[in-house]
Amino acid sequence: MNQRLAPIALVAGLLLAVTSAPAAADGSIDCELRFDLSGWSAFYKTGKGSGTVSCDNGQSMAVQISTKGGGLTFGKTKIEDGRGEFSGIDSIDDVLGTYVSAEAHASAGKSSKAQVMTKGDVSLALAGKGEGWSLGVAFGKFVITR
């Protein structure tokens, strides 16, 4: 496994293991998020972006994304053409809300990022490539709004 992605995979696994409400596997529709996101961190971590959620039942929705959190983290990042997959979705509106996130990151120049987060019975797995520099461990929230 790529040494940069190993800490992220570890944190994602731990997040799934300690989540109090496991993700439902019986969601009736599949939805995907495509997004762009940029942000910075210096103990406090923040980011903003936008994207589109598309579902296999033909529904789609433009969304805004914000991230906030904290930890031992420093850096500046930009993700373009990121992708996310939702599970546990019965309606496109189920994707809206605040997801719990945890991550470990280290990058310089071009980088990749993977992250898994939950909101009740809904899970979101994100992946993206971008550029910037960062180092740290952070916990926080990932918010999707209309």
Side-chain angles (χ1 to χ4, degrees), residues 22-125:
D26 61 355
S28 59
I29 60 174
D30 290 324
C31 296
E32 178 183 70
L33 170 66
R34 291 194 175 227
F35 66 97
D36 295 328
L37 181 70
S38 61
W40 58 269
S41 63
F43 292 108
Y44 178 78
K45 184 173 180 149
T46 185
K48 290 191 182 239
S50 61
T52 302
V53 175
S54 302
C55 301
D56 63 358
N57 66 358
Q59 292 180 304
S60 66
M61 171 176 33
V63 296
Q64 298 298 311
I65 300 166
S66 64
T67 62
K68 293 181 182 176
L72 297 173
T73 177
F74 299 94
K76 182 177 180 181
T77 57
K78 181 177 183 180
I79 297 172
E80 294 179 342
D81 195 28
R83 295 175 189 234
E85 292 185 17
F86 295 93
S87 61
I89 302 295
D90 293 314
S91 163
I92 193 168
D93 292 327
D94 291 347
V95 305
L96 301 173
T98 301
Y99 294 79
V100 176
S101 65
E103 65 178 282
H105 52 94
S107 65
K110 301 235 181 238
S111 63
S112 297
K113 183 173 185 172
Q115 191 170 10
V116 177
M117 56 194 71
T118 61
K119 175 187 73 107
D121 289 343
V122 177
S123 291
L124 171 59

Side-chain angles (χ1 to χ4, degrees), residues 122-141:
V122 177
S123 291
L124 171 59
L126 295 175
K129 294 181 181 180
E131 56 187 58
W133 59 273
S134 66
L135 176 65
V137 176
F139 298 89
K141 60 185 180 176

